[in-house]
């Protein structure tokens, strides 16, 4: 016994119905009563004016505060003040004893490895603190 139904003589094979997409469901917000509409209007007006609405939004997340730096804040300098400080720093570094000390440290750092990236890292670890100490004194 066969499970397939016999075809009727002279009939065309049955075509499958094309698949159609299910209609999209749309949801509408429930209608607001007069008081809710007035409040929504005020919030919209405040947000257009750049004010913070009095009612907190449920979906909005609070921005995270920036972590405070342990170092002191950077002073604001005028162009003239910055130039004067740089000129003074260059004079201190170019003094014979300081320049010789810094160049010697750089040469030792470069001789410690053949890898240029490691050389830069060693210079930052060794020479930078030395230069900061020279300039702060």
């Amino acid at each position: 016994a066969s499970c397939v139904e016999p075809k009727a003589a002279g009939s065309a094979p049955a075509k499958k119905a094309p698949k159609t997409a299910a209609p999209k469901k749309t949801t509408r917000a429930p209608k607001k009563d007069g008081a809710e509409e007035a409040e929504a209007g005020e919030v919209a007006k405040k947000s257009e004016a750049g004010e913070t609405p009095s009612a907190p939004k449920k979906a909005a997340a609070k921005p995270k505060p920036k972590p405070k730096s342990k170092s002191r804040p950077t002073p604001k300098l005028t162009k003239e003040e910055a130039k004067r400080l740089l000129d003074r720093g260059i004079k201190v570094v170019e003094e014979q004893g300081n320049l010789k000390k810094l160049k010697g440290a750089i040469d030792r750092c470069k001789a410690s490895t053949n890898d240029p990236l490691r050389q830069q890292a060693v210079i930052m670890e060794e020479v930078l603190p030395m230069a900061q100490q020279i300039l702060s004194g």
Side-chain angles (χ1 to χ4, degrees):
S2 172
C3 293
V4 179
E5 293 182 26
K7 292 183 183 178
S11 67
K15 293 183 179 178
K16 292 184 179 180
K19 292 184 180 179
T20 58
K24 293 183 180 178
K25 293 182 181 180
T26 57
T27 57
R28 292 185 178 172
K31 289 187 176 182
K32 298 177 181 176
D33 66 0
E36 289 176 336
E37 282 183 15
E39 185 178 321
E42 288 177 23
V43 169
K45 286 178 187 175
K46 284 182 179 180
S47 97
E48 288 173 4
E51 297 177 21
T52 307
S54 58
K57 293 181 181 180
K58 293 179 183 178
K62 284 185 175 181
K64 293 182 181 178
K66 292 182 180 179
K68 292 189 176 185
S69 175
K70 292 181 181 179
S71 64
R72 62 182 179 209
T74 305
K76 303 296 180 201
L77 299 173
T78 65
K79 199 172 187 177
E80 293 79 26
E81 290 172 326
K83 183 174 176 7
R84 190 176 68 244
L85 289 172
L86 282 172
D87 289 340
R88 194 167 78 190
I90 289 170
K91 283 180 185 176
V92 170
V93 169
E94 288 179 341
E95 288 176 7
Q96 191 62 30
N98 293 335
L99 191 59
K100 188 174 182 180
K101 187 189 299 185
L102 290 170
K103 282 186 176 183
I106 290 171
D107 290 340
R108 283 190 305 277
C109 292
K110 286 185 176 181
S112 68
T113 182
N114 290 332
D115 180 23
L117 291 175
R118 183 66 190 141
Q119 288 175 351
Q120 287 180 343
V122 173
I123 288 171
M124 293 298 290
E125 292 170 0
E126 302 293 326
V127 180
L128 185 62
M130 185 183 301
Q132 289 174 332
Q133 192 265 336
I134 289 170
L135 290 170
S136 68

